[in-house]
Amino acid sequence: MLAFRKSMAAALIAAAITLPAALAAAAETAPLAPAAQQEEAQETSYGKADAFTKKRSYLGVTSSTAWMQQARVGGLMLNLRLFTPMGDSIAFEECLGAAATGGEKDIRLTMRVLEWQEGTMLQLDQYAAEVLDRVGVTEIALADGMRDIRAIYNVDEILSIRSMFGLGAAEQLSLAGEHAPVTVVSEDGIRRQLTK
């Protein structure tokens, strides 16, 4: 997680100096341009996610027990989704539990996919990030079918990135791991790259 924060900090500084605007064709969510994808897939695991039981609540916050394509946290449908690098939506199940961010009331939202693909993109708008922050979700973990955690994103850092780049409420920030560029998808489905 420390390595991700250092990489993200370096990427944000570089982005603040140069803001390239690489555009991709519009789709449900525009694909990540091939040149922008990771050159080498790097196998990373941050440990195992807790078992996904029938009880999907933690500290009074609920999540769905169904497989879905859009997150549902605290009874609210959020524009928080997972996509392949080609822009196809990925079904996932979600679970809430204790976060590793330090606070006793910090919550981790784990999103588990059956089959992990390198370059899986987490995509969310301002409202989704604010709701997660408000209900106490401090981190989002992406896990594969074996519950190995492949990526962890800090909600405070997501909100900071959105603020730093002045993203509109409906623009969807898209993250695909610590070595991938940070991109954003406009309301029209146009993807632009924020960092290299």
Side-chain angles (χ1 to χ4, degrees):
M1 185 141 159
L2 183 57
F4 173 74
R5 287 186 178 166
K6 286 181 181 177
S7 286
M8 188 57 70
L12 291 175
I13 290 169
I17 295 169
T18 61
L19 292 175
L23 298 177
E28 177 181 336
T29 186
L32 189 59
Q37 292 178 19
Q38 291 177 269
E39 290 181 16
E40 292 181 25
Q42 296 189 1
E43 184 99 6
T44 304
S45 180
Y46 298 94
K48 284 262 192 211
D50 293 336
F52 281 55
T53 63
K54 291 189 186 254
K55 181 185 174 201
R56 301 285 174 96
S57 65
Y58 186 75
L59 296 178
V61 181
T62 60
S63 64
S64 175
T65 57
W67 284 87
M68 52 198 355
Q69 304 222 348
Q70 181 176 352
R72 182 176 178 176
V73 177
L76 301 171
M77 293 299 289
L78 304 178
N79 197 3
L80 169 58
R81 305 167 193 258
L82 298 177
F83 292 96
T84 69
M86 294 309 297
D88 299 319
S89 184
I90 301 173
F92 60 89
E93 65 174 335
E94 57 187 19
C95 188
L96 299 170
T101 48
E104 63 183 51
K105 293 189 176 182
D106 291 355
I107 300 172
R108 171 187 282 174
L109 168 63
T110 303
M111 301 168 75
R112 176 179 170 250
V113 301
L114 282 179
E115 204 169 305
W116 180 258
Q117 295 183 45
E118 289 304 322
T120 293
M121 297 183 287
L122 171 77
Q123 206 162 284
L124 73 166
D125 63 11
Q126 182 73 27
Y127 176 73
E130 288 174 351
V131 167
L132 293 176
D133 184 53
R134 186 172 63 241
V135 300
V137 173
T138 57
E139 63 184 17
I140 303 166
L142 306 186
D144 62 21
M146 302 300 289
R147 296 192 344 264
D148 288 319
I149 297 175
R150 298 303 194 94
I152 297 176
Y153 301 102
N154 185 291
V155 174
D156 281 343
E157 290 174 3
I158 289 170
L159 287 165
S160 294
I161 294 168
R162 293 190 65 85
S163 176
M164 178 178 158
F165 288 105
L167 300 183
E171 289 184 296
Q172 297 175 50
L173 182 66
S174 184
L175 305 167
E178 60 186 273
H179 301 291
V182 175
T183 61
V184 64
V185 177
S186 71
E187 291 181 72
D188 300 330
I190 306 289
R191 181 178 300 281
R192 69 182 190 276
Q193 190 170 320
L194 300 177
T195 66
K196 291 184 180 183

CSV table of all heavy atoms in Angstrom, one decimal, residues 49-77:
chain,number,residue,atom,x,y,z
A,49,ALA,N,-8.8,-11.7,1.0
A,49,ALA,CA,-10.0,-11.0,1.5
A,49,ALA,C,-10.8,-12.0,2.4
A,49,ALA,O,-10.6,-13.2,2.3
A,49,ALA,CB,-11.0,-10.6,0.3
A,50,ASP,N,-11.5,-11.4,3.3
A,50,ASP,CA,-12.3,-12.3,4.2
A,50,ASP,C,-13.3,-13.0,3.4
A,50,ASP,O,-13.7,-12.7,2.3
A,50,ASP,CB,-13.1,-11.4,5.2
A,50,ASP,CG,-12.2,-10.7,6.2
A,50,ASP,OD1,-11.0,-11.2,6.4
A,50,ASP,OD2,-12.5,-9.6,6.8
A,51,ALA,N,-13.8,-14.1,4.0
A,51,ALA,CA,-14.8,-15.0,3.3
A,51,ALA,C,-16.1,-14.1,3.0
A,51,ALA,O,-16.5,-13.3,3.8
A,51,ALA,CB,-15.2,-16.2,4.1
A,52,PHE,N,-16.7,-14.4,1.9
A,52,PHE,CA,-18.0,-13.7,1.5
A,52,PHE,C,-19.1,-14.5,2.1
A,52,PHE,O,-19.5,-15.5,1.5
A,52,PHE,CB,-18.1,-13.5,0.0
A,52,PHE,CG,-17.2,-12.4,-0.5
A,52,PHE,CD1,-15.9,-12.3,-0.3
A,52,PHE,CD2,-17.8,-11.4,-1.3
A,52,PHE,CE1,-15.1,-11.3,-0.8
A,52,PHE,CE2,-17.1,-10.4,-1.8
A,52,PHE,CZ,-15.7,-10.3,-1.6
A,53,THR,N,-19.6,-14.1,3.2
A,53,THR,CA,-20.7,-14.9,3.9
A,53,THR,C,-22.1,-14.3,3.5
A,53,THR,O,-22.1,-13.3,2.7
A,53,THR,CB,-20.6,-14.8,5.4
A,53,THR,OG1,-20.7,-13.4,5.8
A,53,THR,CG2,-19.2,-15.3,5.9
A,54,LYS,N,-23.1,-14.9,4.0
A,54,LYS,CA,-24.5,-14.3,3.7
A,54,LYS,C,-24.7,-13.0,4.3
A,54,LYS,O,-25.5,-12.2,3.9
A,54,LYS,CB,-25.5,-15.3,4.1
A,54,LYS,CG,-25.6,-16.6,3.3
A,54,LYS,CD,-26.8,-17.4,3.6
A,54,LYS,CE,-26.7,-18.7,2.8
A,54,LYS,NZ,-27.5,-18.8,1.7
A,55,LYS,N,-24.0,-12.7,5.4
A,55,LYS,CA,-24.1,-11.4,6.1
A,55,LYS,C,-23.2,-10.5,5.4
A,55,LYS,O,-21.9,-10.6,5.4
A,55,LYS,CB,-23.7,-11.6,7.6
A,55,LYS,CG,-23.9,-10.3,8.3
A,55,LYS,CD,-23.4,-10.4,9.8
A,55,LYS,CE,-23.4,-9.1,10.4
A,55,LYS,NZ,-22.5,-9.1,11.6
A,56,ARG,N,-23.7,-9.4,4.8
A,56,ARG,CA,-22.9,-8.5,4.1
A,56,ARG,C,-23.0,-7.1,4.7
A,56,ARG,O,-23.1,-6.1,3.9
A,56,ARG,CB,-23.3,-8.5,2.6
A,56,ARG,CG,-23.2,-9.8,1.9
A,56,ARG,CD,-21.7,-10.2,1.6
A,56,ARG,NE,-21.6,-11.5,1.0
A,56,ARG,CZ,-21.6,-11.8,-0.3
A,56,ARG,NH1,-21.7,-10.8,-1.2
A,56,ARG,NH2,-21.5,-13.0,-0.7
A,57,SER,N,-22.9,-7.0,6.0
A,57,SER,CA,-22.9,-5.7,6.6
A,57,SER,C,-21.7,-5.6,7.6
A,57,SER,O,-21.2,-6.6,8.0
A,57,SER,CB,-24.2,-5.4,7.3
A,57,SER,OG,-24.4,-6.3,8.4
A,58,TYR,N,-21.3,-4.3,7.9
A,58,TYR,CA,-20.2,-4.1,8.8
A,58,TYR,C,-20.4,-2.7,9.4
A,58,TYR,O,-20.7,-1.8,8.7
A,58,TYR,CB,-18.9,-4.2,8.1
A,58,TYR,CG,-17.7,-4.1,9.0
A,58,TYR,CD1,-17.3,-5.2,9.8
A,58,TYR,CD2,-17.0,-2.9,9.1
A,58,TYR,CE1,-16.2,-5.1,10.7
A,58,TYR,CE2,-15.9,-2.8,9.9
A,58,TYR,CZ,-15.5,-3.9,10.7
A,58,TYR,OH,-14.4,-3.8,11.6
A,59,LEU,N,-20.4,-2.7,10.7
A,59,LEU,CA,-20.6,-1.4,11.5
A,59,LEU,C,-21.9,-0.7,11.0
A,59,LEU,O,-21.9,0.5,10.9
A,59,LEU,CB,-19.4,-0.5,11.3
A,59,LEU,CG,-18.1,-1.0,11.9
A,59,LEU,CD1,-16.9,0.0,11.6
A,59,LEU,CD2,-18.2,-1.3,13.4
A,60,GLY,N,-22.9,-1.4,10.7
A,60,GLY,CA,-24.2,-0.9,10.4
A,60,GLY,C,-24.4,-0.5,8.9
A,60,GLY,O,-25.4,0.0,8.5
A,61,VAL,N,-23.3,-0.6,8.1
A,61,VAL,CA,-23.4,-0.3,6.7
A,61,VAL,C,-23.6,-1.6,5.9
A,61,VAL,O,-22.9,-2.6,6.2
A,61,VAL,CB,-22.1,0.4,6.2
A,61,VAL,CG1,-22.1,0.7,4.7
A,61,VAL,CG2,-21.8,1.6,7.0
A,62,THR,N,-24.5,-1.6,5.0
A,62,THR,CA,-24.8,-2.8,4.3
A,62,THR,C,-24.3,-2.8,2.8
A,62,THR,O,-24.0,-1.7,2.3
A,62,THR,CB,-26.4,-3.0,4.2
A,62,THR,OG1,-26.9,-1.9,3.5
A,62,THR,CG2,-27.0,-3.2,5.6
A,63,SER,N,-24.1,-4.0,2.3
A,63,SER,CA,-23.8,-4.2,0.9
A,63,SER,C,-24.7,-5.3,0.3
A,63,SER,O,-25.4,-5.9,1.1
A,63,SER,CB,-22.3,-4.5,0.7
A,63,SER,OG,-22.0,-5.7,1.3
A,64,SER,N,-24.7,-5.5,-1.0
A,64,SER,CA,-25.5,-6.4,-1.6
A,64,SER,C,-24.9,-7.8,-1.5
A,64,SER,O,-23.7,-8.0,-1.5
A,64,SER,CB,-25.7,-6.1,-3.1
A,64,SER,OG,-26.5,-7.1,-3.7
A,65,THR,N,-25.8,-8.9,-1.5
A,65,THR,CA,-25.4,-10.2,-1.6
A,65,THR,C,-25.4,-10.8,-3.0
A,65,THR,O,-25.0,-11.9,-3.2
A,65,THR,CB,-26.2,-11.1,-0.7
A,65,THR,OG1,-27.6,-11.0,-1.1
A,65,THR,CG2,-26.1,-10.7,0.8
A,66,ALA,N,-25.9,-10.0,-4.0
A,66,ALA,CA,-26.0,-10.5,-5.3
A,66,ALA,C,-24.8,-10.1,-6.2
A,66,ALA,O,-24.0,-9.3,-5.8
A,66,ALA,CB,-27.2,-9.8,-6.0
A,67,TRP,N,-24.6,-10.8,-7.3
A,67,TRP,CA,-23.6,-10.5,-8.3
A,67,TRP,C,-24.2,-9.3,-9.0
A,67,TRP,O,-25.3,-9.3,-9.4
A,67,TRP,CB,-23.3,-11.6,-9.2
A,67,TRP,CG,-22.5,-12.7,-8.5
A,67,TRP,CD1,-22.9,-13.7,-7.8
A,67,TRP,CD2,-21.0,-12.7,-8.5
A,67,TRP,NE1,-21.8,-14.4,-7.3
A,67,TRP,CE2,-20.6,-13.8,-7.7
A,67,TRP,CE3,-20.0,-11.9,-9.1
A,67,TRP,CZ2,-19.3,-14.2,-7.5
A,67,TRP,CZ3,-18.7,-12.3,-8.9
A,67,TRP,CH2,-18.4,-13.4,-8.1
A,68,MET,N,-23.4,-8.3,-9.2
A,68,MET,CA,-23.9,-7.0,-9.8
A,68,MET,C,-22.8,-6.4,-10.7
A,68,MET,O,-21.7,-6.8,-10.7
A,68,MET,CB,-24.3,-6.1,-8.7
A,68,MET,CG,-23.3,-5.9,-7.7
A,68,MET,SD,-23.8,-5.2,-6.1
A,68,MET,CE,-25.5,-4.9,-6.3
A,69,GLN,N,-23.3,-5.3,-11.4
A,69,GLN,CA,-22.4,-4.6,-12.3
A,69,GLN,C,-22.2,-3.1,-11.8
A,69,GLN,O,-21.5,-2.3,-12.4
A,69,GLN,CB,-22.9,-4.6,-13.7
A,69,GLN,CG,-23.0,-6.0,-14.2
A,69,GLN,CD,-22.6,-6.2,-15.6
A,69,GLN,OE1,-22.3,-5.3,-16.3
A,69,GLN,NE2,-22.5,-7.5,-15.9
A,70,GLN,N,-22.9,-2.8,-10.7
A,70,GLN,CA,-22.9,-1.5,-10.1
A,70,GLN,C,-23.0,-1.7,-8.6
A,70,GLN,O,-23.8,-2.4,-8.1
A,70,GLN,CB,-24.1,-0.7,-10.6
A,70,GLN,CG,-24.1,0.7,-10.1
A,70,GLN,CD,-25.3,1.5,-10.7
A,70,GLN,OE1,-25.9,1.0,-11.7
A,70,GLN,NE2,-25.5,2.7,-10.2
A,71,ALA,N,-22.1,-1.0,-7.8
A,71,ALA,CA,-22.0,-1.2,-6.4
A,71,ALA,C,-23.3,-0.7,-5.7
A,71,ALA,O,-23.9,0.3,-6.1
A,71,ALA,CB,-20.8,-0.5,-5.8
A,72,ARG,N,-23.6,-1.4,-4.6
A,72,ARG,CA,-24.8,-1.0,-3.8
A,72,ARG,C,-24.2,-1.0,-2.3
A,72,ARG,O,-24.0,-2.0,-1.7
A,72,ARG,CB,-25.9,-1.9,-3.9
A,72,ARG,CG,-27.1,-1.5,-3.1
A,72,ARG,CD,-28.3,-2.3,-3.3
A,72,ARG,NE,-29.4,-1.9,-2.5
A,72,ARG,CZ,-30.6,-2.4,-2.5
A,72,ARG,NH1,-30.8,-3.4,-3.4
A,72,ARG,NH2,-31.5,-2.0,-1.7
A,73,VAL,N,-24.1,0.2,-1.7
A,73,VAL,CA,-23.5,0.3,-0.4
A,73,VAL,C,-24.5,1.2,0.4
A,73,VAL,O,-24.9,2.3,0.0
A,73,VAL,CB,-22.1,1.0,-0.4
A,73,VAL,CG1,-21.6,1.2,1.0
A,73,VAL,CG2,-21.2,0.1,-1.2
A,74,GLY,N,-24.8,0.8,1.6
A,74,GLY,CA,-25.7,1.5,2.5
A,74,GLY,C,-27.1,1.7,1.9
A,74,GLY,O,-27.8,2.7,2.1
A,75,GLY,N,-27.5,0.7,1.1
A,75,GLY,CA,-28.8,0.8,0.4
A,75,GLY,C,-28.9,1.7,-0.8
A,75,GLY,O,-29.9,1.8,-1.4
A,76,LEU,N,-27.8,2.3,-1.2
A,76,LEU,CA,-27.7,3.2,-2.3
A,76,LEU,C,-27.0,2.6,-3.5
A,76,LEU,O,-25.9,2.1,-3.3
A,76,LEU,CB,-27.0,4.5,-1.9
A,76,LEU,CG,-27.6,5.3,-0.8
A,76,LEU,CD1,-26.7,6.4,-0.4
A,76,LEU,CD2,-29.0,5.8,-1.2
A,77,MET,N,-27.6,2.7,-4.7
A,77,MET,CA,-26.9,2.3,-5.9
A,77,MET,C,-25.9,3.4,-6.3
A,77,MET,O,-26.2,4.6,-6.3
A,77,MET,CB,-27.8,2.1,-7.1
A,77,MET,CG,-28.8,0.9,-6.9
A,77,MET,SD,-28.0,-0.7,-6.7
A,77,MET,CE,-27.4,-1.0,-8.4
